[in-house]
Amino acid sequence: MLPVRRTATVRTWLGAAVAAAVLAGLALLSFPAVEQGTAPSGGPGRPMGAVSPAPPPDQADDTRADAVTDLLNRRAKALLDHDEQAFLATLDPRADEAFLSTQRRLFTNLAGVPFDEWSYRLRADDALDVSKVPDRFTSSASDELWAPAVDLRYALRGGDVVPTERPMGYLFARHADEWYLRSDTALDSLGRRTWRGPWDFAPCVVTTTEHGIVLSHPGSQPMVDRLVRELDPSVRAVSELWPTRWSQRVTVMLPDTSGEMRALVGPDFPVESVVAVAVADRVNNRTRAVAGQRVVLSPDGVRGLSIASLRVVLRHEITHLAARADTVDGSPTWLLEGFADYVGYRDSGVTLAEGAPDLAKQVREDGPPAALPEDRAFRSRDSDLDLAYQQSWSIARYVADTHGEKALIAVYRELAAAGAVSATETDRMLRDVLGVDRAALVRGWQSYLREALK
């Protein structure tokens, strides 16, 4: 049986990342309308040619916030109701044609996606200084521009148990008494970028299973059929071993390009090096609340997998989803990835020598590894990355074969819940569960490898 090309998982805490990147500042660029001398009077007591009196600042701010909130509510309702005319009415008619065309495509691309929620949250007190917006976005006449923080809140029906939130870099424009959306790219240079979902790239097709959904694009049906057949059995296989209750709902995304995959998993992740990535938008380990969990597949790598290899990949990534609430940031990567691989390969019939050819070569030529894989090894590429994953899987197999699966799960739950701890504390936790410290664990693992890979 052909070994699976190694998969990797990136743990994205977008809430924290976005909070760190937000820029606060003055957000109002106002051009008061002046009545011309030939125009009718604006009402009793207002002389023609006078500047309209400005409302008190607090009242003006509240009026603006209420108007933009109403605009966002109408935009959300139009998308959910598939009302294109109402959706287009929220766009600034003076915006550049490229933006308007992109928005029309967005509306079309969203037509096949079922949502339990799609709404926006305006944070009026967190606004950018629009005087710093590039001129090409402000050259069209408007009475006022505003760049408050906006979050998209959405939930995919059949995939999300709770809604998730993503940042939207929106610039709004006022013409007379009406507010419109002017741009979703004008704030890029100011550090506030609009999150791009799969619907920003192509029309979306959603296929529902008992335990989740597969979100893809037209033309991917053969691959989607394979994923649909494997998704529910993979969820059940993970739940059979993982003892903690989890949602058992999985959203699988199949992008068309590496650029789309990068938008879904993060700009710094080496998407060319992996077959699949498990991500989450927000994780609260204390309350066990997890939002925005996704399995994102490589547009190229996954299509070349055999059914058996695809099964391993899905079970590996779904293990990360199931254990996410019990896994604290900073936990040793060899444990997280080794355990996920153990679940992925469990009952596959793949031997250690078949699934870990680079490790087998290392043991035969140079002897077994001298230490547990360091976290930095999982940030490498190509054969070094493969070797790190193979070593981690072999550690998990060694613990399960020597101490039993329950002990392996106990090690995971103990170490993963602790996060980044000292070597002394790690030794203590290992002794509590397995009766050995790291040094003894490595010695036993080395003997296991010599025997299994001789």
Side-chain angles (χ1 to χ4, degrees):
M1 185 178 296
L2 290 176
V4 177
R5 181 187 178 196
R6 302 306 333 128
T7 62
T9 296
V10 57
R11 301 191 60 218
T12 53
W13 314 113
L14 292 179
V18 170
V22 165
L23 304 177
L26 183 65
L28 174 63
L29 182 59
S30 180
F31 303 96
V34 178
E35 297 178 39
Q36 302 301 314
T38 56
S41 170
R46 179 186 299 177
M48 286 188 289
V51 176
S52 301
D58 290 345
Q59 179 182 340
D61 291 346
D62 290 345
T63 300
R64 179 180 56 192
D66 289 345
V68 173
T69 296
D70 176 69
L71 165 69
L72 291 171
N73 288 342
R74 286 186 283 113
R75 176 180 170 88
K77 185 176 187 301
L79 285 169
L80 292 174
D81 292 346
H82 305 292
D83 186 340
E84 185 174 16
Q85 184 175 358
F87 175 78
L88 296 177
T90 66
L91 305 177
D92 186 353
R94 301 180 191 174
D96 65 83
E97 183 55 37
F99 172 68
L100 297 177
S101 296
T102 299
Q103 289 291 296
R104 284 191 288 267
R105 287 195 299 272
L106 171 65
F107 182 88
T108 300
N109 294 348
L110 279 164
V113 185
F115 292 100
D116 280 330
E117 181 171 339
W118 181 289
S119 62
Y120 298 96
R121 180 168 66 99
L122 177 72
R123 291 185 281 120
D125 58 346
D126 185 4
L128 300 184
D129 182 353
V130 295
S131 68
K132 298 178 180 179
V133 173
D135 291 343
R136 67 182 183 275
F137 299 106
T138 62
S139 57
S140 297
S142 60
D143 295 321
E144 185 178 349
L145 296 174
W146 194 33
V150 175
D151 296 319
L152 166 64
R153 179 179 172 87
Y154 78 96
L156 294 166
R157 183 173 303 151
D160 288 328
V161 177
V162 297
T164 187
E165 290 188 358
R166 305 307 298 263
M168 311 301 285
Y170 284 169
L171 176 66
F172 301 95
R174 178 174 64 82
H175 304 300
D177 294 329
E178 292 295 325
W179 281 92
Y180 302 93
L181 178 60
R182 165 69 64 88
S183 173
D184 66 353
T185 59
L187 310 182
D188 287 0
S189 62
L190 304 184
R192 183 172 289 170
R193 292 180 175 271
T194 293
W195 172 74
R196 304 296 177 186
W199 35 81
D200 286 288
F201 295 87
C204 293
V205 179
V206 173
T207 307
T208 303
T209 75
E210 179 184 354
H211 286 290
I213 62 173
V214 177
L215 194 155
S216 61
H217 301 300
S220 297
Q221 197 57 47
M223 188 66 221
V224 170
D225 291 342
R226 297 172 68 198
L227 290 168
V228 167
R229 287 194 296 269
E230 294 298 326
L231 180 55
D232 289 343
S234 294
V235 171
R236 288 191 286 268
V238 171
S239 298
E240 179 182 287
L241 183 65
W242 184 246
T244 306
R245 182 180 177 84
W246 67 291
S247 69
Q248 297 189 32
R249 308 296 304 176
V250 176
T251 297
V252 177
M253 292 187 169
L254 182 61
D256 273 351
T257 66
S258 58
E260 180 182 353
M261 183 180 182
R262 189 172 287 106
L264 297 176
V265 304
D268 299 325
F269 192 76
V271 298
E272 296 84 2
S273 302
V274 299
V275 172
V277 181
V279 298
D281 293 340
R282 297 192 315 278
V283 179
N284 187 321
N285 298 106
R286 182 180 58 82
T287 63
R288 297 181 50 76
V290 185
Q293 294 220 82
R294 308 282 184 259
V295 173
V296 184
L297 303 177
S298 163
D300 300 317
V302 74
R303 287 177 169 84
L305 297 179
S306 67
I307 290 296
S309 297
L310 177 63
R311 188 172 299 144
V312 173
V313 168
L314 283 177
R315 295 182 184 194
H316 174 112
E317 302 303 340
I318 291 171
T319 298
H320 286 304
L321 304 189
R324 182 78 71 186
D326 300 285
T327 304
V328 175
D329 198 20
S331 305
T333 307
W334 64 263
L335 173 71
L336 308 186
E337 300 302 337
F339 181 76
D341 255 359
Y342 178 83
V343 180
Y345 278 109
R346 186 174 181 256
D347 300 329
S348 68
V350 177
T351 68
L352 185 59
E354 291 172 332
D358 299 303
L359 177 59
K361 183 175 183 290
Q362 179 189 44
V363 171
R364 288 193 304 268
E365 297 180 356
D366 303 316
L372 301 172
E374 297 183 7
D375 285 356
R376 63 184 179 185
F378 296 89
R379 295 189 290 271
S380 58
R381 295 174 183 268
D382 303 324
S383 60
D384 291 337
L385 182 63
D386 290 346
L387 183 60
Y389 274 89
Q390 291 169 23
Q391 290 175 353
S392 297
W393 175 42
S394 70
I395 297 168
R397 283 190 63 141
Y398 160 65
V399 172
D401 289 349
T402 305
H403 300 274
E405 282 187 341
K406 290 184 178 179
L408 173 62
I409 295 169
V411 169
Y412 186 98
R413 289 167 63 86
E414 186 78 9
L415 269 64
V421 297
S422 66
T424 300
E425 184 64 13
T426 300
D427 284 340
R428 183 196 64 77
M429 289 186 287
L430 287 172
R431 281 194 294 268
D432 287 347
V433 178
L434 301 179
V436 298
D437 59 13
R438 282 175 305 129
L441 175 65
V442 169
R443 289 194 298 271
W445 173 47
Q446 291 171 331
S447 297
Y448 175 81
L449 293 179
R450 291 189 187 98
E451 180 63 26
L453 299 175
K454 61 184 179 181

